[in-house]
Amino acid sequence: MDLSHMTVGEKLFQVFAVLFIFLMSAAMLYPFIHLLSVSFSTPTEAIRPGFHLFPLEFSTEAYSKTFSSGQIWIGFGNTVFRTVAGTFLSLIFMAMTAYALSKKYLPHRTFWTMFIVFTMFFQGGLIPTYLLIKGLGLLDSRWVYVLAAPYLISTFSMLIMRNFFMSIPSELEDSAKIDGASDIKILYTIIIPLSKPILATVGLWSAVNHWNAWFDGLLYIQDTSKMLLQTYLRRLIVENRSEEVQILMDQAVGAMDVIPETVKASTLMVATLPIIILYPFLQKYFVKGILVGSLKG
């Protein structure tokens, strides 16, 4: 950053901006670092008051107990299924909807766009949605995670994708139509390959939403074999189910191998790290995908 050509006011603004970003980053990173440190600590170190930036007494016992829990693996598998299948189907349906709405020759395009936007502000509510899910026979089914609103099609993400499609030169489609290509073929052979930035951006949004969702699992699922990892976490931590923690602790070799604090911290890390790993691979598409998708239209 070159400060030599800036006025005093601009220099002060830059200093305060950097300081503000640093403090905000530290405030957001510390809870994660604290839990990571506690998860790798011995019981004596875990209950030590104060900041935990790194474990003074290292132990992996909490993770061994966490990974030995069958419910953790069941929830992890259900969450992975939901995230992969839900993100894939969401991208397909949102891409088809966005492509249709991006065409000026679509009959009553403005009406259909406003009709879809209407759902962003007004929804049926919890009870009508539950009755709909029950009427469709999706209660206690893993497919409720994928098909239940708003996870299959996010109106906001779909509109961002629509605006991105509108930025693609129409001449590419015109030349393909001259060669006899249909709209479906144009979408999957021309538009989709040119839309990697917005697909990666929207795909990550969808994956994060699916991975972090827990309420629909609590509402629609009774079978524990179909329970999500996040729903299990809520039972373990938010509802403070002592029996859930005890199941893990009972597998310890000694009475003081683990304590509830280390078990909860290690379980949180297991549930958090997989989705965080996706960010470095998709980050390069964010700026282009969001800017082009939000400015065009």
Side-chain angles (χ1 to χ4, degrees):
M1 181 186 300
D2 186 10
L3 300 177
S4 59
H5 301 292
M6 296 183 181
T7 63
V8 175
E10 290 174 336
K11 292 179 181 179
L12 289 175
F13 175 79
Q14 292 293 337
V15 171
F16 281 111
V18 172
L19 181 61
F20 175 77
I21 293 174
F22 174 78
L23 293 176
M24 289 294 294
S25 300
M28 290 183 286
L29 285 175
Y30 172 70
F32 181 83
I33 296 175
H34 173 82
L35 285 174
L36 184 63
S37 176
V38 170
S39 69
F40 281 110
S41 298
T42 61
T44 304
E45 169 64 14
I47 61 177
R48 175 180 59 85
F51 298 124
H52 290 73
L53 295 180
F54 53 88
L56 298 179
E57 299 177 6
F58 189 83
S59 173
T60 60
E61 194 64 31
Y63 282 95
S64 66
K65 304 315 175 232
T66 298
F67 287 122
S68 65
S69 171
Q71 188 60 53
I72 287 288
W73 291 109
I74 291 174
F76 192 86
N78 290 329
T79 301
V80 169
F81 164 78
R82 171 184 186 151
T83 303
V84 174
T87 302
F88 179 73
L89 292 177
S90 293
L91 288 177
I92 290 178
F93 281 91
M94 284 193 290
M96 292 190 296
T97 306
Y99 180 69
L101 292 177
S102 68
K103 302 295 107 180
K104 295 182 179 180
Y105 54 80
L106 176 69
H108 311 294
R109 184 180 71 149
T110 302
F111 168 78
W112 292 117
T113 302
M114 297 306 299
F115 182 81
I116 294 175
V117 171
F118 182 83
T119 63
M120 294 179 62
F121 305 99
F122 300 95
Q123 300 178 9
L126 182 60
I127 295 177
T129 302
Y130 182 86
L131 294 177
L132 174 62
I133 296 300
K134 182 178 180 181
L136 294 174
L138 293 176
L139 290 181
D140 247 3
S141 171
R142 289 184 178 88
W143 287 106
V144 73
Y145 298 137
V146 177
L147 302 178
Y151 299 107
L152 185 60
I153 294 183
S154 168
T155 303
F156 175 78
S157 299
M158 187 275 295
L159 292 176
I160 294 292
M161 191 178 295
R162 162 190 172 268
N163 293 342
F164 188 95
F165 289 166
M166 293 176 64
S167 68
I168 298 177
S170 59
E171 289 77 11
L172 294 175
E173 299 181 48
D174 295 337
S175 61
K177 288 182 178 179
I178 292 175
D179 293 335
S182 63
D183 288 329
I184 295 295
K185 186 174 183 179
I186 292 174
L187 173 62
Y188 287 102
T189 60
I190 297 178
I191 303 300
I192 296 299
L194 294 175
S195 303
K196 290 181 180 179
I198 195 63
L199 292 176
T201 302
V202 171
L204 184 57
W205 289 346
S206 179
V208 171
N209 286 334
H210 279 290
W211 187 270
N212 292 333
W214 60 270
F215 184 67
D216 47 356
L218 183 68
L219 187 63
Y220 304 126
I221 300 297
Q222 299 296 325
D223 188 352
T224 56
S225 66
K226 300 173 184 176
M227 183 185 297
L228 294 171
L229 180 59
Q230 307 301 338
T231 306
Y232 175 73
L233 276 178
R234 187 180 187 278
R235 296 178 60 185
L236 186 69
I237 298 172
V238 178
E239 297 180 8
N240 198 21
R241 295 285 188 92
S242 58
E243 65 271 16
E244 301 284 354
V245 181
Q246 193 62 41
I247 291 175
L248 297 177
M249 294 180 61
D250 286 343
Q251 301 171 13
V253 177
M256 289 300 294
D257 283 347
V258 292
I259 59 175
E261 286 73 15
T262 57
V263 171
K264 292 178 181 180
S266 62
T267 307
L268 276 171
M269 289 298 101
V270 171
T272 304
L273 287 177
I275 198 66
I276 292 179
I277 295 175
L278 286 178
Y279 278 96
F281 298 99
L282 302 177
Q283 184 180 8
K284 63 180 180 179
Y285 296 110
F286 269 25
V287 175
K288 182 179 179 181
I290 295 176
L291 286 181
V292 177
S294 59
L295 295 178
K296 182 72 176 178

